[in-house]
Amino acid sequence: METESASYPSTSFIVRKPETYNPASSNSTGMVPTHYMQSPSESEAQTGLNAVPLLDPAHELPAHASPSSDGMPGNNPPAEHKAGGGWIRMVIVSLVILGAIAFVVWRIRSNKTAEQQQAAKSAAQADRPVPVTIDTVGLRSIPIYLTALGTVTAYNTVTLKSRVDGQITGIHFVEGQQVKQGQLLIQIDPAPYQAALAQAQGNLSRDQANAALAKSQANRYTALYNAGVVSRESEQTQQSTAGQSVGTIEGDQAAIQAAKVNLSYTRITAPISGIVGLRQVDLGNMVSASSSTGLLVITQVQPISVIFTVPEDQLPQVFDGMKGGHRLVVEAWDRSNTEKIATGTLLTVDNQIDTTTGTAKLKAVFANDDNALFPNQFVNTRLILETRNNAIVIPAAALQTGTTGNFVYVVDKQHPVQQTPTGTGKTAPAAAATPASQHQQQQAYPVQARPVKVDLTQGSQIILDSGLRPGEAVVIDGQEKLRDGSKVLPHENDTTGARSKSSAKPLGSNPNGSSKTPPQKTHPNGAAQLPNSSTHKKQQNGNGATQP
């Protein structure tokens, strides 16, 4: 078989010229017919240099030899079949697009419906009365004080030591005992000191006899000298001897006094009234006056003192309160600052400021008759500077903060709200009416968000400058579910005594965490302690209503 190479202006072909071409023959598969070749004139007739040459312009080739075929028979569908398949694909794509659009529209409408239902549910929940705890705005006297951490110290502390040497023969106290001044505590063996006293007394008796003899001789020599029998020198010698005897007697008397003092040191007594600590020696031990170890320590706790510090910037306020000899009141509170332990007075201010901390030490004195304070105990101290009279006071739990400033929720008891049973739009039947007391407890009222101006915050109490009137009811627990105009079911904050008996848990708790609420304690200054509202929150179910 021969090959020819044809060269054209835009396209070059290398074709194989078959000797014969028989479409019906199986051996002619893959052979190119003779009319496949193009002449230069036909090639030049094509438009443009990049035009594709017509390989089968007369469409005389079989299907498997067509230029658009892959050479395999049966893989090239007819043109009519291809046109039908494209139309089906367009229909399917259109249906898919329409389905997607319909799904998006349905989803948007369903979301709007759900939002409307949720809004209706929220509106219903917002319209339901919320159980809250209220307190009354008071008009009372409030103390203005400084707070500091103080340490209780003994008013006097004595470490007892032995002043003589000897063996301990008796211990007459119990560790931790309250002792009085002059009470015998420890007895040291007195025998050696009793013997020394007896010896001194014997020397005194001897010297007194010698002194009497010397005085008599001096008197005789004086008479003889006056008679001219003896010389002046002899008379003066006897007078000197008599004088020495008097001096010896005085020395013996001093020795006796020293022996008595040493004998008294064998009895160790309490120099002050106080509490005895743990003893450092036991019965039978030898003690020495030169020992640096004490026998026991006595601390005076009645009265007792508290040392605390205040910043130097607050000292002018303290000095102003102390003018004219006025004694400022100091209160000692427990570690949790919930219970007052004792009340005392300010004794003095230290004479210098600590430069490392910028504070000054103050000392207060407490009577401590009930032994509530103990040495080295940590307490919270309140130094009362003044008392603010006729102040409008609310609990600190009632104050809320918003974008417009401080405000409180005030219960409008002048306009009660008519309630309907939950879940129905009908009024409750008369047979189901509760007693008058229960009806009063379940009566709903609207609340107002009223702005207030705070003058001073003092502990758990807030002094207002304006915004409220004495006797108004403010919400102190449950504000998180309220807004201006909400309905509430108020529960009074019990300040008079025991709460009403019911199956529900009490609204507050005592400082020890017990669920039983005792009568509310009131400070001497009139500031009432606030109950814990955590127990009241447990009374509400998931819908915000109080459990029966």
Side-chain angles (χ1 to χ4, degrees):
M1 183 180 294
E2 299 179 358
T3 60
E4 292 182 356
S5 176
S7 184
Y8 300 96
S10 60
T11 306
S12 298
F13 300 94
I14 299 176
V15 298
R16 180 175 298 178
K17 181 186 298 183
E19 296 178 355
T20 60
Y21 177 73
N22 187 5
S25 176
S26 60
N27 295 329
S28 60
T29 303
M31 295 183 179
V32 181
T34 56
H35 61 267
Y36 175 79
M37 299 178 58
Q38 289 182 323
S39 63
S41 60
E42 293 176 347
S43 174
E44 292 173 357
Q46 296 180 4
T47 306
L49 296 176
N50 295 326
V52 179
L54 297 177
L55 300 181
D56 190 15
H59 302 288
E60 295 179 356
L61 293 176
H64 66 274
S66 174
S68 61
S69 174
D70 54 3
M72 299 298 295
N75 292 337
N76 297 285
E80 296 81 358
H81 180 70
K82 293 183 178 179
W87 179 81
I88 294 175
R89 283 195 298 272
M90 292 179 61
V91 172
I92 294 175
V93 172
S94 300
L95 292 176
V96 171
I97 294 174
L98 292 176
I101 294 174
F103 175 77
V104 171
V105 173
W106 172 81
R107 190 65 178 175
I108 292 174
R109 291 185 177 179
S110 62
N111 290 341
K112 289 183 178 180
T113 304
E115 290 176 358
Q116 294 175 357
Q117 294 177 353
Q118 183 64 26
K121 184 177 180 180
S122 300
Q125 290 287 348
D127 190 59
R128 179 178 299 174
V130 179
V132 296
T133 303
I134 63 174
D135 203 347
T136 304
V137 180
L139 186 66
R140 61 175 70 97
S141 298
I142 296 296
I144 308 302
Y145 53 82
L146 302 177
T147 59
L149 182 63
T151 303
V152 181
T153 58
Y155 198 76
N156 289 307
T157 302
V158 178
T159 301
L160 294 182
K161 295 182 179 180
S162 176
R163 304 179 68 175
V164 294
D165 299 340
Q167 184 181 19
I168 296 177
T169 58
I171 295 178
H172 304 280
F173 68 92
V174 178
E175 295 170 319
Q177 177 184 349
Q178 182 81 28
V179 296
K180 300 294 183 179
Q181 184 178 5
Q183 180 177 340
L184 177 62
L185 301 178
I186 297 176
Q187 177 67 58
I188 298 176
D189 185 11
Y193 302 98
Q194 291 174 349
L197 177 60
Q199 183 179 1
Q201 290 174 347
N203 293 335
L204 176 62
S205 300
R206 181 195 60 193
D207 294 336
Q208 285 177 343
N210 292 334
L213 177 61
K215 185 176 181 181
S216 299
Q217 290 180 353
N219 291 333
R220 286 195 297 269
Y221 269 82
T222 301
L224 292 175
Y225 171 73
N226 293 331
V229 177
V230 296
S231 64
R232 178 69 177 173
E233 180 180 2
S234 298
E235 189 267 340
Q236 291 178 345
T237 301
Q238 293 298 324
Q239 292 290 341
S240 174
T241 302
Q244 291 177 2
S245 300
V246 174
T248 302
I249 293 174
E250 292 178 353
D252 292 340
Q253 292 175 345
I256 292 174
Q257 185 66 27
K260 290 181 178 180
V261 170
N262 289 333
L263 182 60
S264 66
Y265 287 162
T266 61
R267 290 172 51 89
I268 299 178
T269 59
I272 60 173
S273 298
I275 298 177
V276 178
L278 303 178
R279 68 172 185 263
Q280 305 298 321
V281 293
D282 297 327
L283 184 67
N285 288 344
M286 293 293 297
V287 294
S288 174
S290 61
S291 176
S292 59
T293 303
L295 304 180
L296 71 156
V297 178
I298 301 177
T299 56
Q300 183 178 359
V301 295
Q302 292 178 350
I304 201 168
S305 61
V306 174
I307 306 296
F308 60 97
T309 59
V310 297
E312 57 181 334
D313 297 338
Q314 297 176 347
L315 284 179
Q317 304 178 38
V318 177
F319 289 137
D320 290 342
M322 296 177 63
K323 289 181 179 180
H326 179 65
R327 289 291 186 92
L328 297 179
V329 177
V330 181
E331 296 178 349
W333 292 70
D334 61 354
R335 185 181 297 270
S336 61
N337 210 15
T338 57
E339 183 178 356
K340 187 174 69 173
I341 302 176
T343 302
T345 58
L346 181 64
L347 179 62
T348 184
V349 181
D350 197 4
N351 58 358
Q352 59 184 351
I353 297 174
D354 189 352
T355 58
T356 59
T357 60
T359 59
K361 291 182 178 180
L362 283 73
K363 184 176 183 179
V365 180
F366 297 81
N368 199 31
D369 294 331
D370 55 353
N371 292 324
L373 298 176
F374 203 77
N376 295 333
Q377 177 184 358
F378 288 96
V379 295
N380 290 300
T381 59
R382 295 182 181 181
L383 176 59
I384 300 177
L385 301 177
E386 61 172 319
T387 301
R388 189 77 60 87
N389 297 319
N390 298 326
I392 299 177
V393 182
I394 63 172
L399 187 66
Q400 303 293 310
T401 303
T403 56
T404 59
N406 297 324
F407 68 95
V408 297
Y409 286 109
V410 182
V411 179
D412 186 7
K413 290 190 174 182
Q414 301 298 328
H415 302 86
V417 178
Q418 184 67 29
Q419 297 186 77
T420 56
T422 304
T424 63
K426 302 179 181 179
T427 307
T434 58
S437 60
Q438 297 181 5
H439 176 73
Q440 181 67 22
Q441 183 181 3
Q442 296 298 323
Q443 179 63 55
Y445 300 92
V447 294
Q448 302 174 358
R450 187 179 301 177
V452 294
K453 184 178 180 181
V454 177
D455 183 19
L456 181 66
T457 300
Q458 195 67 48
S460 61
Q461 303 291 323
I462 294 179
I463 301 176
L464 297 181
D465 188 35
S466 62
L468 294 177
R469 297 185 301 271
E472 290 186 314
V474 294
V475 179
I476 63 174
D477 186 25
Q479 300 97 322
E480 63 276 1
K481 298 181 181 180
L482 299 182
R483 56 183 176 84
D484 191 16
S486 297
K487 303 175 185 178
V488 297
L489 295 174
H491 296 269
E492 294 288 344
N493 184 28
D494 191 4
T495 58
T496 58
R499 303 183 185 275
S500 59
K501 297 181 180 180
S502 62
S503 59
K505 295 182 180 179
L507 299 179
S509 60
N510 57 25
N512 297 329
S514 175
S515 60
K516 297 182 179 179
T517 305
Q520 187 180 13
K521 296 182 180 180
T522 303
H523 299 308
N525 51 38
Q529 296 181 358
L530 293 178
N532 190 352
S533 60
S534 60
T535 309
H536 171 65
K537 294 180 179 179
K538 296 180 181 179
Q539 289 182 277
Q540 301 178 0
N541 55 24
N543 297 328
T546 305
Q547 296 179 356

